[in-house]
Amino acid sequence: MDRNQLRRQVAHMRSSLIEQHYLDQQQFVQLEDLEDDSNPNFVEEIVTLFYKDSSRLFQKIDQALHSVPMDFARLDDYVHQFKGSSSSIGAIKVKNECTQFKEFCLAGNAEGCLRAFQRVKHEHEALKRQLETYFQLRRQAGMAQRS
Amino acid sequence: MGMAADSQFHVLAVDDSLIDRKLIERLLKTSSYQVTTVDSGSKALEFLGLYEDDQTNPDSPSVSPNNQQEVEVNLIITDYCMPGMTGYDLLRKIKESSSLKNIPVVIMSSENVPSRINRCLEQGAEEFFLKPVRLSDLNRLRPHIIKTKSKDQNQEKTRTHEEEEASQKLEMSSTKIQKLESSEVKQEQQELVHHQLQLQQSQPPNSNKRKTMEEGLSPDRTRPRYSGITTVV
């Protein structure tokens, strides 16, 4: 497959990720715009940081969820942090699940929090898989510059 | 890319989030600023040479922050929500410091809370950015930096000259700034228009979530507009 075809595939996948609301168009396009010759992998780097950070926060959230009584204030704090990071990389679905999660924290709803965390993790995983494919495609297409 | 003059502007970015630090650093570097990032308010103060128990030196001859540290900081951009010292606390400490109070401070927050925004602006913050911060937001930083740089230069001279001479110098540098500004603004405007066109082509009309819709706060309140010609006071 030639480079142009690969690039079209990449563009197509990007549009699809945006249409399905995995990614926020404005934010994600902004991130890609910040790449240049001296920083060709910025998006992948920041997304990788996001995964590292999310796994750290997930552990903390897990602990807080299993504290007796459930520590809603701490939970809210962690989810707030995670929501912020999600928003920064344009991860809409993940961010929206965080918003729901925060509401359960504020309401002191333990059941709700447990379910919300499952949904957050689910969306997080789904996005991760999509982005892995996306970055692989980009690498194949030799894409490391602004359009 | 900015003009050569920009490479000497140094921004200190404060954020406890690793992702946001990386993002703001990239945004600032793309806008041709030198960047230092720290993860807390106390580290920021350390970097600025202001320690918690430090008394301000009454013999300090100038208000320029050059006195206290090796690298001059032209602007501080800080997250609001941070553990320990919040961005607001940091802002207050900076404005209370005789050596640092002239450094423009910008606050960032993921939450659109009018009372919070007002508090920060009243405490002396120049701008309040909603996260995630965009390149277009950073275009609004330059007037604050240039205004402050010239203010510092003028204040140094005022200490040793008569009022009359000082105001003459004020006029001269004001003209210089206007000249510098107009060519910079032109380039900025070109970049901004280009950027906006890119966005407009592919986004639905009402998706601009940067407007403070929910709280009903008018955009003018949170985002003071500058015409590009800075008045030097």
Side-chain angles (χ1 to χ4, degrees), chain B residues 56-68 98-100 159:
Chain B
T56 39
N57 183 359
D59 296 325
S60 164
S62 149
V63 296
S64 161
N66 264 333
N67 265 3
Q68 304 258 28
S98 59
S99 55
L100 301 177
R159 285 176 195 277

Side-chain angles (χ1 to χ4, degrees), chain A residues 15-107:
Chain A
S15 299
S16 158
L17 288 174
I18 288 165
E19 267 167 49
Q20 294 177 70
H21 301 290
Y22 280 108
L23 295 172
D24 173 66
Q25 174 165 339
Q26 273 195 321
Q27 188 57 17
F28 201 71
V29 167
Q30 163 90 96
L31 291 180
E32 292 196 322
D33 275 353
L34 290 172
E35 286 183 333
D36 58 20
D37 291 335
S38 52
N39 293 271
N41 300 310
F42 174 70
V43 186
E44 198 168 352
E45 283 166 14
I46 200 171
V47 168
T48 305
L49 262 183
F50 172 71
Y51 296 147
K52 275 208 194 122
D53 205 47
S54 57
S55 92
R56 176 187 66 94
L57 281 168
F58 283 179
Q59 270 183 354
K60 292 191 163 177
I61 290 172
D62 218 30
Q63 278 170 9
L65 280 171
H66 291 101
S67 61
V68 181
M70 198 178 280
D71 193 336
F72 293 110
R74 261 201 322 146
L75 262 178
D76 183 65
D77 190 38
Y78 296 142
V79 179
H80 180 79
Q81 287 178 48
F82 186 59
K83 182 179 165 185
S85 311
S86 307
S87 167
S88 293
I89 66 158
I92 309 184
K93 279 194 195 177
V94 178
K95 182 191 129 180
N96 289 341
E97 293 300 342
C98 288
T99 305
Q100 291 291 330
F101 195 162
K102 275 178 67 95
E103 287 185 11
F104 287 123
C105 291
L106 282 173

Side-chain angles (χ1 to χ4, degrees), chain A residues 24-27 29-31 33-36 38-39 42 45-46 49-50 53 80-81 84-85 87-89 95 102 146-147, chain B residues 1 16-20 22-23 26-27 30 81 110-111 131-136 195 198-199 202-204 207-210:
Chain A
D24 173 66
Q25 174 165 339
Q26 273 195 321
Q27 188 57 17
V29 167
Q30 163 90 96
L31 291 180
D33 275 353
L34 290 172
E35 286 183 333
D36 58 20
S38 52
N39 293 271
F42 174 70
E45 283 166 14
I46 200 171
L49 262 183
F50 172 71
D53 205 47
H80 180 79
Q81 287 178 48
S85 311
S87 167
S88 293
I89 66 158
K95 182 191 129 180
K102 275 178 67 95
R146 276 189 286 221
S147 46
Chain B
M1 294 297 267
D16 62 316
S17 159
L18 185 56
I19 284 92
D20 287 348
K22 185 165 175 82
L23 181 55
R26 192 76 224 118
L27 283 167
T30 300
C81 257
S110 55
E111 290 169 315
K131 282 179 160 184
V133 176
R134 300 275 161 75
L135 265 177
S136 51
H195 195 67
Q198 278 183 331
L199 291 175
S202 38
Q203 93 191 25
S207 72
N208 189 350
K209 60 178 167 59
R210 305 205 65 65

